[in-house]
Amino acid sequence: MHRISNAVRLLLLLIALGAFPAGAAPLQAQWEFRLLPGDAQGAAHPGLQQWRAATVPGSVHTDLLAHELIRDPYVGAPEAELQWIGLADWEYRARFDVDAASLAKAHAELRFDGLDTYAEVTLNGKPLLRADNAHRTWHARVEGRLRAKGNELQIVFRSPIRTLLPGVQAMPHRIAGNYPSPYGDEPKDAMVGNFARKPAYHFGWDWGPRYVTAGVWRGVDLQAWDAHRLTDVAVRTDALDAENAKLAVVLQVEQDAVAAPIAVDVEVRDPDGRSVARVQRTVELKPGRNSVDVPVELAKPRRWWPVGHGAQDRYTVQARLDGSADPVLAREQRIGLRTVELRREQDDKGGQGFAFVINGVPIFAKGANVIPFDAFPARVDAARLRQVLVAARDANMNMLRNWGGGYYEDDAFFDIADELGLLVWQDFMFGGGMQPGYDPAFRASVVAEARDNVRRLRHHPSIVLWCGNNEEETAWKDWGHGRDLKSADPAFAAKVWQGYVDLFGNDLRQVVSEDGLGVPYWSSSPSNDLDEKANDSTRGDKHYWQVWGNPALPVQAYLRETPRFMSEYGLQAWPAVATVDQIATRAEQRIDSPVIRAHQKFMAGEGNTRLLHYIELGYGTPKDFEDFVYLSQVMQADGIALAALHHRASRPYTMGSLYWQLNDVWPGASWSSVDYFGRWKALHYAARRFFAPVTVAALRDEGSTRVRLINDGAALDARWRLRVMDVEGKVLRRREQAVTLAAAGVTDIGTYADAELLADADPARTVAVFELLQDGKVTARQVVGFVEAKDQVLPRQQLTSTLAIDGDHYRLRLHSAALVRAVWIDFGALDVQVEDNLLDLLPGETRDIAVRGPVDLAALREALKVKTLNDR
């Protein structure tokens, strides 16, 4: 079970400390929680009205779990029995003291970085604030209201369902929502999620559970000051090239009622920690809010680059008022110097490009979409973020899209992305359906939310796009949402659409323009930024779900869809059996068992039928659940590789390929390549190859194979080789020649008809092997079959394996006597890292695979399983 140990509590506190700005001190308090007395859920859940210890940051679900009042929300199928939690009102309280120095200050403020969601806050028995947006930062002045001992902060959290449902049900015509609840806690025809400024996925999604939680999900801090305080530091880039950087360090300073002069000191340190610029001046502060611009110039700046294109150098900017190190008067910020452009050049066929240009260099975006890392965000620590983001970097990704149905990630996420050189496409938190943008109060709340988060995150060089929402425009225009509402109530439909344009076309664009330090804005994904057509292959970004979704086309259809930028596409797979073991007993591990269905959210639990459809198209019927898991991962890896290589081979027409999705919110079936526990699926190993800086794309469709060589960097000399061979290793045809790979581009080798390659050979027993060689070594390979994998005649029991110690790691040696397809190496639940996986071995080939982990050789040998398509 996910119990919260003392070590985890300390880690959560450290995370909270990292999330606070300089000058803010985490509230040192003892937190407790209870079911609000008098709540209707009290009769069915007696005893919960008594106070119990709580963890902040946290949530009511994790607090209930810590006291063993509910079972683990992820193990088995407990979801239905836990929906009452989202229907209840909850109360939290904190008791704290305040030191004499803070009490002596003229001003004091409590800051709440995350209240989820409808919260009534009182301090020492008197109302302090009311909150209604989990994504906002809430401030409350408390000077004169604090005492030295025994302060009590109370927060009542109202059920978002019960709060919003009467208003939604009173609407004569309702705007479209997302996923209706199957549990009866909310009517299916009156969904409230898109009316709440709360993480949308808490209401359920097709890859995660429905847990409508509440609580203090981010930190609370107390700040005290006298005449003035430094509230923000931003570094604006006015000019930047390899020779010079012209910057403006912009300080936001609050001054009390009396104007006064103040000494401002700004220092810039280079990536090695050396001071390279310092500006000191005196400025006159007026009462209220002041903005102070301090110009700074740097010679020969070290620019920040995405991974694969240069170093991730970062500078440190320190600002002080009155020469003080007092946290309310000093701030320090790490920044990266880079320029970003979303280049949208018109072509001669009426289309329009979509390319990210960093420091003047067009970048082909290779990566995946990121969803929340847990149903309960406070459980996500920096170590888990690092594990998954390093996995993205190690799979040769350079961009991640933070999807809009979750929450704005902690700074730790972006710090790691900055360090690793991962570009971030950042959605605002709108996941789908339609929002009540026609409501001025709703729009005002969203604008405040947007300013909070843009200002908090804008110093991160990794952020290269702010996007208004996920799929709302295409849902309105293409899925029938707009059509249906227009048919029912044309006037209301017009009002809803105008509200959409006001919010996503104007309000958020203005926030990014004013506060985003030059990062571009895009109104929706997919879209052409409010052009007539929303999901267009010739303009803007594209979501393509005709494969996997409706009409469930075969994976070869990926080759007939060539977008300008593919921001979503995907295929499902189950995680490793070792992960499934964490949620289901072996007896429960059947495709149609209640527990397995509970962890398959696509098609409301029926998604395994879609998964079987794709497995059986290419690989045949699984023998058992373990075979089902294996084949699902092989299918997912093969299909996404086909699409991603097609996108890369279509450069520069196509300039991005972000598959759905990188990570998981819980253990279960999904489109991820890294599962909830951090285990790599076959797709992630494949991604390291198909996103490699230099690779070969040999893509077969409708009886012919087009071969292109892909190169992300400078021009280079290499050789390419073709061998047509039978499964026993007899070479039927061979060709090899020198080639110069175009810089940052694609070199077309040619198109080969099956008849040309096969001649009279049996297509079921023959493959074409396309390879790229550098310095005599094979650096990229694709094995192309002429029939579906299920129809290939592959010799059985052709693979031998041996494990041995090899210096500081283990060596797994694989040898194949004949062609072996889709070799999958599995060590079960052992904590080991496998250097490579999902391999094709040619006849007579030997591969050595490094295995690392804190296990002994005997345990490793006992756990080893190797699966292949040959042995089915």
Side-chain angles (χ1 to χ4, degrees), residues 347 353-355 364 537 558-566 641-657 690 695 697 699 706-712 744-748:
D347 62 32
F354 190 102
F364 188 99
S537 297
Y558 281 136
L559 300 177
R560 298 155 209 159
E561 179 60 46
T562 308
R564 307 313 296 252
F565 191 106
M566 187 69 91
L642 193 71
L645 287 170
H646 170 59
H647 301 153
R648 294 189 68 194
S650 301
R651 180 177 182 165
Y653 183 90
T654 302
M655 284 299 291
S657 181
F690 62 65
T695 193
L699 305 177
R706 186 176 180 186
V707 184
R708 285 158 287 183
L709 305 179
I710 298 166
N711 177 27
D712 287 343
V746 178
T747 303
D748 198 334

Side-chain angles (χ1 to χ4, degrees), residues 797-804 811-816 823-825 827 841 846-849 860-861 864-868:
Q797 299 178 344
Q798 295 297 308
L799 190 69
T800 59
S801 61
T802 57
L803 265 168
R811 182 193 68 240
L812 174 62
R813 175 162 291 173
L814 301 174
H815 177 78
S816 59
V823 177
W824 181 250
I825 304 160
F827 289 100
L841 269 68
T846 299
R847 286 286 306 273
D848 286 343
I849 308 295
L860 208 62
R861 285 173 171 163
L864 174 63
K865 288 184 179 180
V866 180
K867 293 183 69 71
T868 77

